Amino acid sequence: MTILLLFLILSLGSFALLSKDLLHSVIALSALSMLSALMFTMLKAPDVAITEAAVGAGISTIIFVWAIRHTRRRSKD
Amino acid sequence: MSSESLFLSPVYLPLLSAAGILFIKSFCPTSIKRIAEYLGILIGLVLPLLLVLRLYPIVQNQGYIETTIGGYAQHIGIIYRFDGMSLLLILLAAAITLPAWIFSRNEGPGHSYFTALLLIQNASIAAIGMAADLFNLFVCLELMGVTAYVLIATGKKANAAYASFSYLMLSSSAMVFFLLGTFGLYNLTGSLRYEAIAMGLETLSGRNQYVAHFSLLLIIVPVLLRVAVMPLSLWLVDAHSKAPHAVSALLSGVLLKVPLFALIRIFSLSPFASSLALPISYAGAVTALVGVLLALSQSDAKQLLAYHSISQIGYIVSAWGLALHAGVTTMTGSLLLSASFFHAFSHAQFKALLFLTIGKTTDAAGNRNVYTFRGANQALRNVGERVPLTMLCFLVGALSISALPPFNGFYSKTLVTYTLKGSLHYTFLTLASVGTVASFIKLSRIFLPSKQPMVLPAVKEKNRFPVSSHLAFILLALSCLAVGLFSEQMILFITRLISSEEAQTYGSSFFFTQDNLIKTTLTVLSGIVLFALAVSRPGKYVLHLLEKRRGGFTDLFLGFATALGALALFAW
Amino acid sequence: MKRTWFIFKVIFILLVVTLAMLPVILSSHPWPVASRDYLYENALSDTGAVNTVSSIYLGYRAMDTLGETLVLLVSITGTMGILINLGRESEEEEAVSFSLAPEKRATNAQRTHLLEVVASKLGPVVLLFGFYVMLYGHISPGGGFQGGVIVASAIVFLALGTETQSKLTNTTVLGRIETLSFLVLIIVATSGVFFERGFFGNPIKSGSSLSVNFIILLNIIIGLKVGTSIAVMCIAMMGGRHGH
Amino acid sequence: MVIERILIFLLALVGFSAIVGAKNIIKKVFGLNLLNSAIVLLYILEGSRIGEQAPILGEGVTNIVDPVPQALMLTAIVIGVCVTALALALAVRLYKATGSLEIDTISARLHSEQ
């Protein structure tokens, strides 16, 4: 199960870096955070899971979206 | 108060006054805000120093004082250990932060956030000097790093943001590797405490030994990155030359050296780590030479100073590495370490002085190019300076860094080269000091009167030269002179803190031998010759080629990988 | 030519890093149990917290937490400084406002009725949940930081949802709460010095049933500090928002 | 067990390669984020090798996982997000100053300005 989750996380991470649309990357990253939070609950780390969900899927996403709104959404690579 | 709470005062008093300053800033009107800042600096910076100095006899007798934060069991809590080196680092930080802060009142980012940031940074420096716990060291290093990024980014130009961004990316991704190394050591030994790790590493065997070595490597290289030894030093130039002047002074004066001396404790974890000290010290010797050559080739005044920081760090690191190679507790080792720290201390003083004076001067004229900028005194008079104090203070700094008596640079450099005599490092460092003299002749030319009358920007109002800048210059210049004149006592003070054994005295009869004087004269003469070569046509061509080489973003990581790979090869 | 050289460099860096990381990552040493066993035996009596992670986070290794809070403070100060600079630099962008005065708010155009209703109704509930997480950190998963982040998001909801500025979404008020809680945090951390228990020592006698109150207190302060500072940053970011 | 570690290692490597190789500075920050999460995953995964229950003491809890890595990672996650916020603010500032997100263009434009 953890292997499957890790595999998903890895592919989401690669997608975030390969996508030419930065907003898609941000969504992928926040999904990645949620998946890791799920994994942390499975690994008996509820505290880390809450933090990861609040920070990774919450604040980071807000800041990333803010940065992208202020710059350009398209990336050349 | 117990000695435990006394030695932690450099951590909590600055934090307390930083919190107080922020609190008063958000609640009270402006007039009280300024008083709060002065009071905050007094309580957060000066008072802890006085308190800590009271512990000097205890440290000298016992070697160290130890406590667990919060009074929990040693096994699990965070241990802070106060020894001579911690005291010296706190002294170093306070001695540079105070003038830099005074300077920033009128020139730099002198708002109250800046004061609070300086105080928080000082607390983190004290914590780095005392922490005996791997993860706490990580947190404190990150704290110091984050304050550094923010302070660099306070520069007005976008260049500063670029410098801050590349330093941030490099340093924080390196810190992730630090975390990985911590993981490896915790996995192997089950503890984050230095003593327990050292004990746990002794019992390992076979493949686990390799894991331990690589974990140590992953911890050591990120910390060395902050020190900027040669393949890791590319980030430094941008960061130091683009930051506000007061911040530059702090960066090269304090922030480069604190991680280096904190690293001593990590090196004592395992015999493998101390075997790494020798290659690092060779890297330091090479750094000293290459750094000074690059400095000679720069046309931007602050970049020239930044390359000088790299070169001087080379001196410090080569003595430091040999000290660890010999063993800190041995006679030679402690002497080398004292020499290394003494040079670090005097370098902090004169480099801060140089950064501040050059910063002020180039700002006054709006020109930073060493080749075209002349008549700096006129420019300074234009902004309201009556007496050429800035030039005098600059000359004090330049003479110090060129190692001329009676300034501190002469004593510290002589001590370093004396302790290194007979090794390969000696040759490198002697060559480097020739380059230093040459490059400072080059830099000093900005104070020559200009031939054509200066086209000065019209002065809008009759402004007076800020007293605070002069105060900062004079404070630093006098301390350069004082450390030089009282070098005997200073060296005694440092050696007594570093090793408990009876220290030898190094009086003026040691420094003013015929050999030393001849050597100094020769260095200065060959410096002048080198300078003449450098301004000749072929010399200029070569230097121009050197200056053109500018590293990109990827090259920062290339340096990191090279250092990691070289040390890993050595580990094999 | 330049491109090949670049790729070559990247491959070299990755190769070296791989070589350096792999031995540590693939080490087959069994995980140590000593700390776990010690904590299982003593954590409850030492700090009074049922949640062992909390007792490490705010008890044994509270110094790390202090450092982390400071990192947050410094980085938010830096971010705000850059934000304000950005606002000053672009004169034509008058919409950049950090006070969130409604008429200046650039977000007004993008606000919909639906968002307002949902956000303003959801805000108080989330706020309550945030305080729950904050206060019950010692017995259940959660704690000051996590609760603080939830409180911050609740404040952001309220800021999005209500037309007029309330006390809760006023950045000056939030900033004051932030500095106050930071001051209190440092004072509480130092208080042990005067109770002869050392820096960050629990001033309440350990072993008594009251000693857990120290952790609850720290949780509340850290929660307030983190929540308000993140909320201030997010509101400033929203105030400066203007799409392309 | 080895497969999990290799997957985590690959995640870290992907993140690091983005930091080093990506042209876009926001992607570099993405890479830093990934690198950080990889290390967090590694700590938590390995820390849960011993024990079977969450580290919240109570009735019938006898075999908890190691809580130390969890507490450490709380700190590491927060530090990671702080650095991310700062890096993004710097990125926005660089974009406003140079009108580009490509690291090479930014560096070239800034140096030609001097």
Side-chain angles (χ1 to χ4, degrees):
Chain A
M1 188 61 192
T2 44
I3 295 180
L4 183 70
L5 272 178
L6 276 174
F7 201 75
L8 270 175
I9 287 174
L10 182 60
S11 42
L12 273 175
S14 320
F15 170 77
L17 297 179
L18 292 176
S19 155
K20 292 212 185 292
D21 190 332
L22 289 180
L23 210 55
H24 292 184
S25 312
V26 174
I27 304 298
L29 277 186
S30 102
L32 186 150
S33 278
M34 289 314 287
L35 279 185
S36 5
L38 182 64
M39 202 174 130
F40 294 146
T41 15
M42 281 168 44
L43 293 173
K44 310 288 181 265
D47 282 271
V48 190
I50 290 185
T51 316
E52 179 72 35
V55 168
I59 312 175
S60 307
T61 313
I62 294 180
I63 304 171
F64 272 123
V65 169
W66 166 78
I68 290 169
R69 287 197 78 109
H70 271 265
T71 56
R72 223 179 308 139
R73 194 171 148 184
R74 295 274 150 198
S75 153
K76 277 182 194 145
D77 60 357
Chain B
M1 242 198 248
S2 63
S3 60
E4 277 84 35
S5 2
L6 216 55
F7 83 72
L8 280 173
S9 64
V11 179
Y12 59 76
L13 281 181
L15 291 182
L16 209 57
S17 40
I21 288 171
L22 291 179
F23 177 75
I24 287 171
K25 182 188 165 7
S26 70
F27 275 92
C28 296
T30 42
S31 55
I32 310 176
K33 210 171 75 187
R34 272 192 102 74
I35 300 172
E37 279 178 59
Y38 289 105
L39 208 63
I41 285 288
L42 212 61
I43 295 176
L45 209 60
V46 184
L47 183 64
L49 190 64
L50 299 177
L51 289 178
V52 162
L53 282 177
R54 277 181 51 194
L55 292 173
Y56 179 70
I58 304 180
V59 171
Q60 217 191 315
N61 292 333
Q62 296 178 4
Y64 63 86
I65 318 169
E66 205 173 63
T67 187
T68 319
I69 301 282
Y72 295 101
Q74 283 230 329
H75 176 69
I76 200 84
I78 295 176
I79 292 182
Y80 268 45
R81 177 186 290 182
F82 182 85
D83 57 12
M85 195 44 94
S86 325
L87 200 159
L88 289 173
L89 287 180
I90 292 163
L91 177 71
L92 171 73
I96 306 305
T97 310
L98 196 62
W101 178 77
I102 293 175
F103 180 80
S104 81
R105 294 280 75 199
N106 267 304
E107 306 293 330
H111 41 72
S112 46
Y113 277 125
F114 180 71
T115 315
L117 282 183
L118 282 191
L119 288 168
I120 291 175
Q121 191 172 57
N122 265 50
S124 77
I125 287 167
I128 288 173
M130 292 191 281
D133 184 284
L134 216 45
F135 193 77
N136 197 257
L137 182 70
F138 165 79
V139 174
C140 297
L141 278 174
E142 279 281 10
L143 179 56
M144 193 180 85
V146 169
T147 33
Y149 316 143
V150 171
L151 287 177
I152 295 170
T154 45
K156 288 205 181 63
K157 284 199 182 145
N159 271 331
Y162 179 75
S164 172
F165 182 79
S166 42
Y167 181 27
L168 184 150
M169 288 313 280
L170 178 66
S171 162
S172 46
S173 48
M175 286 316 276
V176 177
F177 290 102
F178 186 102
L179 217 48
L180 184 63
T182 313
F183 169 82
L185 290 185
Y186 183 79
N187 189 1
L188 290 174
T189 61
S191 180
L192 295 163
R193 202 158 46 98
Y194 287 165
E195 272 178 6
I197 291 175
M199 281 198 309
L201 288 184
E202 274 173 17
T203 59
L204 291 178
S205 60
R207 265 175 64 194
N208 289 331
Q209 201 81 43
Y210 269 114
V211 177
H213 291 177
F214 275 91
S215 310
L216 280 170
L217 214 59
L218 286 175
I219 288 173
I220 288 166
V221 175
V223 183
L224 278 180
L225 177 80
R226 299 277 174 96
V227 184
V229 199
M230 202 50 174
L232 299 166
S233 58
L234 280 165
W235 60 268
L236 181 141
V237 184
D238 257 1
H240 284 206
S241 57
K242 304 298 185 295
H245 312 309
V247 179
S248 303
L250 265 179
L251 284 173
S252 69
V254 184
L255 264 63
L256 286 181
K257 285 130 197 172
V258 170
L260 181 71
F261 291 105
L263 208 52
I264 296 173
R265 292 187 177 173
I266 296 179
F267 270 79
S268 64
L269 286 183
S270 132
F272 161 74
S274 32
S275 72
L276 285 180
L278 197 63
I280 293 173
S281 83
Y282 278 113
V286 176
T287 307
L289 190 57
V290 178
V292 87
L293 280 182
L294 288 170
L296 194 57
S297 73
Q298 295 304 308
S299 58
D300 184 296
K302 270 188 93 177
Q303 264 182 25
L304 190 148
L305 288 177
Y307 275 109
H308 260 291
S309 292
I310 297 180
S311 154
Q312 300 289 325
I313 269 293
Y315 278 84
I316 297 164
V317 168
S318 51
W320 173 90
L322 279 184
L324 287 185
H325 182 66
V328 188
T329 44
T330 60
M331 194 67 190
T332 24
S334 62
L335 177 61
L336 276 161
L337 195 58
S338 319
S340 169
F341 184 82
F342 186 37
H343 192 58
F345 191 74
S346 30
H347 171 247
Q349 287 174 320
F350 55 67
K351 188 48 71 68
L353 180 60
L354 287 169
F355 261 124
L356 295 185
T357 45
I358 287 292
K360 180 71 198 160
T361 315
T362 48
D363 272 5
N367 186 357
R368 283 166 69 159
N369 192 320
V370 188
Y371 292 111
T372 59
F373 181 21
R374 290 289 180 278
N377 264 330
Q378 274 158 289
L380 281 169
R381 217 169 297 136
N382 212 37
V383 294
E385 189 182 45
R386 300 235 180 85
V387 200
L389 267 177
T390 312
M391 184 183 75
L392 285 178
C393 292
F394 167 78
L395 283 180
V396 170
L399 293 179
S400 296
I401 200 172
S402 315
L404 290 175
F407 299 109
N408 54 5
F410 169 72
Y411 296 96
S412 59
K413 237 180 214 178
T414 313
L415 192 63
V416 167
T417 40
Y418 163 75
T419 50
L420 291 175
K421 215 161 223 171
S423 59
L424 190 62
H425 305 73
Y426 183 76
T427 329
F428 275 98
L429 296 188
T430 316
L431 286 176
S433 52
V434 174
T436 312
V437 175
S439 59
F440 272 90
I441 297 173
K442 180 175 162 182
L443 184 58
S444 308
R445 283 191 305 170
I446 64 169
F447 283 97
L448 292 178
S450 67
K451 286 184 187 99
Q452 66 262 52
M454 255 183 139
V455 192
L456 291 167
V459 185
K460 277 160 234 147
E461 71 259 35
K462 193 109 182 95
N463 40 6
R464 287 191 35 214
F465 197 81
V467 186
S468 62
S469 318
H470 270 163
L471 187 62
F473 298 157
I474 291 172
L475 212 60
L476 282 168
L478 282 185
S479 68
C480 277
L481 192 62
V483 169
L485 292 179
F486 297 103
S487 61
E488 190 183 333
Q489 287 82 349
M490 189 70 196
I491 295 170
L492 210 60
F493 178 76
I494 294 172
T495 38
R496 276 197 182 145
L497 278 174
I498 283 174
S499 83
S500 49
E501 284 159 45
E502 200 44 54
Q504 210 180 327
T505 48
Y506 293 92
S508 52
S509 58
F510 168 76
F511 286 107
F512 292 100
T513 56
Q514 208 174 1
D515 276 4
N516 273 340
L517 292 180
I518 290 173
K519 200 185 141 217
T520 310
T521 327
L522 274 180
T523 312
V524 172
L525 285 180
S526 37
I528 294 170
V529 172
L530 184 63
F531 170 71
L533 277 178
V535 289
S536 67
R537 194 172 286 266
K540 263 186 181 164
Y541 178 73
V542 173
L543 291 186
H544 194 66
L545 275 184
L546 273 180
E547 193 193 354
K548 277 271 174 165
R549 303 194 60 81
R550 182 191 295 285
F553 188 85
T554 322
D555 297 330
L556 301 176
F557 289 89
L558 196 64
F560 178 69
T562 316
L564 201 60
L567 287 182
L569 273 184
F570 185 82
W572 242 309
Chain C
M1 176 56 206
K2 213 175 166 187
R3 177 105 193 125
T4 357
W5 184 229
F6 173 75
I7 292 172
F8 186 70
K9 272 198 258 187
V10 172
I11 289 175
F12 171 75
I13 293 168
L14 292 183
L15 211 65
V16 171
V17 167
T18 310
L19 282 179
M21 275 167 82
L22 269 183
V24 180
I25 286 193
L26 294 181
S27 108
S28 55
H29 197 270
W31 194 261
V33 290
S35 322
R36 194 267 312 247
D37 293 343
Y38 178 85
L39 286 167
Y40 179 70
E41 302 282 325
N42 300 310
L44 192 57
S45 56
D46 277 355
T47 61
V50 178
N51 185 352
T52 330
V53 176
S54 261
S55 61
I56 301 172
Y57 190 67
L58 294 169
Y60 301 112
R61 304 189 68 89
M63 193 70 189
D64 287 347
T65 312
L66 180 67
E68 167 204 316
T69 319
L70 287 170
V71 170
L72 185 79
L73 172 85
V74 171
S75 79
I76 285 187
T77 310
T79 312
M80 293 290 286
I82 294 167
L83 275 174
I84 291 167
N85 262 338
L86 284 179
R88 267 194 214 134
E89 263 172 21
S90 44
E91 293 97 328
E92 83 276 18
E93 292 167 356
E94 282 177 5
V96 181
S97 106
F98 301 104
S99 58
L100 263 201
E103 66 278 5
K104 281 189 189 165
R105 197 149 50 176
T107 49
N108 267 347
Q110 292 152 353
R111 290 148 58 91
T112 60
H113 194 57
L114 183 68
L115 174 73
E116 251 167 54
V117 170
V118 172
S120 62
K121 296 288 180 292
L122 207 55
V125 181
V126 179
L127 197 62
L128 190 67
F129 179 62
F131 278 108
Y132 171 80
V133 172
M134 208 191 278
L135 285 168
Y136 283 79
H138 59 294
I139 42 179
S140 63
F145 189 85
Q146 295 89 326
V149 174
I150 299 173
V151 166
S153 60
I155 295 173
V156 172
F157 273 150
L158 289 173
L160 276 175
T162 41
E163 191 66 51
T164 49
Q165 207 176 45
S166 70
K167 274 247 167 71
L168 248 182
T169 55
N170 186 334
T171 39
T172 344
V173 176
L174 288 177
R176 284 184 177 178
I177 299 177
E178 185 198 343
T179 50
L180 180 66
S181 48
F182 180 49
L183 185 64
V184 174
L185 172 66
I186 305 284
I187 288 175
V188 167
T190 343
S191 68
V193 173
F194 305 103
F195 287 96
E196 294 295 319
R197 302 198 61 90
F199 183 54
F200 247 122
N202 189 341
I204 308 161
K205 215 172 88 212
S206 73
S208 73
S209 58
L210 285 175
S211 69
V212 73
N213 288 348
F214 187 64
I215 285 192
I216 299 178
L217 180 66
L218 282 179
N219 260 335
I220 295 173
I221 301 166
I222 290 177
L224 281 178
K225 162 88 189 61
V226 169
T228 44
S229 60
I230 290 178
V232 167
M233 186 178 75
C234 288
I235 290 176
M237 281 177 170
M238 288 185 331
R241 182 164 78 180
H242 50 96
H244 284 276
Chain D
M1 183 166 154
V2 179
I3 300 174
E4 290 163 352
R5 289 175 174 199
I6 287 181
L7 283 174
I8 288 176
F9 166 72
L10 284 179
L11 185 64
L13 202 64
V14 165
F16 193 68
S17 66
I19 298 176
V20 179
K23 294 260 187 293
N24 190 307
I25 47 176
I26 293 191
K27 281 215 168 152
K28 283 182 191 292
V29 184
F30 286 161
L32 189 58
N33 240 0
L34 286 184
L35 189 59
N36 241 324
S37 351
I39 295 297
V40 174
L41 281 169
L42 182 68
Y43 265 84
I44 302 295
L45 186 71
E46 294 303 309
S48 69
R49 290 263 177 251
I50 50 167
E52 274 149 12
Q53 282 158 314
I56 296 170
L57 305 172
E59 296 283 314
V61 176
T62 50
N63 192 12
I64 57 171
V65 300
D66 192 354
V68 177
Q70 299 190 8
L72 300 187
M73 282 309 103
L74 288 183
T75 309
I77 290 175
V78 177
I79 290 179
V81 80
C82 294
V83 171
T84 305
L86 195 58
L88 283 175
L90 288 170
V92 172
R93 172 142 169 69
L94 284 177
Y95 178 80
K96 297 275 172 185
T98 61
S100 170
L101 279 178
E102 317 294 307
I103 189 87
D104 297 332
T105 324
I106 289 175
S107 148
R109 282 186 193 165
L110 285 178
H111 285 305
S112 65
E113 244 173 50
Q114 271 182 335

